[in-house]
Amino acid sequence: MKKPFDLHADYQPESFVFNKAYQGLAQDAIARYPQERQQSAVMPLLDLAQRQVAEEGAKATPVHGGWIPRAAMDHIAEVLDMPKVKVYEVASFYSMYNTAPVGQHLVQFCTTTPCWLCGSADIVNACKDHLGIGMGETTKDGKFSLMEVECLGACVNAPMVQINDDYYEDLTPASMVEVLETLAQGLKPEIGSQTGRKASMSAAGPTTLKEEAKKAKVV
Ligand code: FES
């Protein structure tokens, strides 16, 4: 479920500029494109704006996560000399760009068929019950938001969620709650499979090339 995109909402800040560090990163991103194609940097610049807001949000009270205010999109349009509406179009199309405020940890549930068959509905319910919020909502302390997305490309390790930049896979309701509790304590949970399997190898362990698997220390 994509969050609402409201350019006139009262949470929109008056202004946005890249700080010194992000300005440097933005210039590096722009320089990767040929002179007459530099508007293509719109996607990396939107990502940088979202990351800067996330860094600021980690120090705010209550905390918040990364999102892209209208002022940031307008600033990017100005930097890249392109119509504002084109920046709005890109930002509002992709689910990785948050165009409204979100919690510090944005929990994105894949509920597409493979994850659903492996129990994503139980994972969603475990989170809702544990945090006391519904889909598209944010906890009062600003720490968590819940969002539903389509396949995140980790179907072999279903059910899974993406939280900010990280994937948590092979989840059960209990391991999902453990991940949330670890994040709430300000710690970093182990990313990837929560059952300890390596990458996307068979859940039952190697079924062939067993000696090779031992040599590669994946069993
Ligand atoms: S269906 Fe969930 S990652 Fe593909």
Side-chain angles (χ1 to χ4, degrees), residues 110-116 150-160 167:
C110 170
T111 54
T112 306
T113 314
C115 277
W116 179 71
E150 300 302 329
C151 179
L152 289 168
C155 327
V156 173
N157 296 49
M160 58 80 65
Y167 277 18

Side-chain angles (χ1 to χ4, degrees), residues 91-112:
S92 59
F93 182 78
Y94 295 100
S95 66
M96 77 272 270
Y97 297 128
N98 305 315
T99 53
V102 294
Q104 186 179 27
H105 305 291
L106 175 59
V107 185
Q108 299 182 70
F109 301 95
C110 170
T111 54
T112 306

Side-chain angles (χ1 to χ4, degrees), residues 4-23:
F5 181 44
D6 184 350
L7 295 175
H8 305 288
D10 55 7
Y11 52 70
Q12 293 284 355
E14 290 285 308
S15 61
F16 174 93
V17 284
F18 284 116
N19 63 29
K20 209 168 161 213
Y22 277 88
Q23 211 167 16

Side-chain angles (χ1 to χ4, degrees), residues 65-83:
W67 68 286
I68 309 168
R70 174 188 183 167
M73 297 184 223
D74 293 349
H75 180 59
I76 290 169
E78 199 180 313
V79 169
L80 296 177
D81 191 23
M82 64 195 288

Side-chain angles (χ1 to χ4, degrees), residues 154 156-157 169-170 192-203 218:
V156 173
N157 296 49
E169 304 157 345
D170 294 326
S193 172
Q194 299 301 299
T195 60
R197 74 161 144 159
K198 307 280 185 224
S200 299
M201 69 184 281
S202 160
V218 294

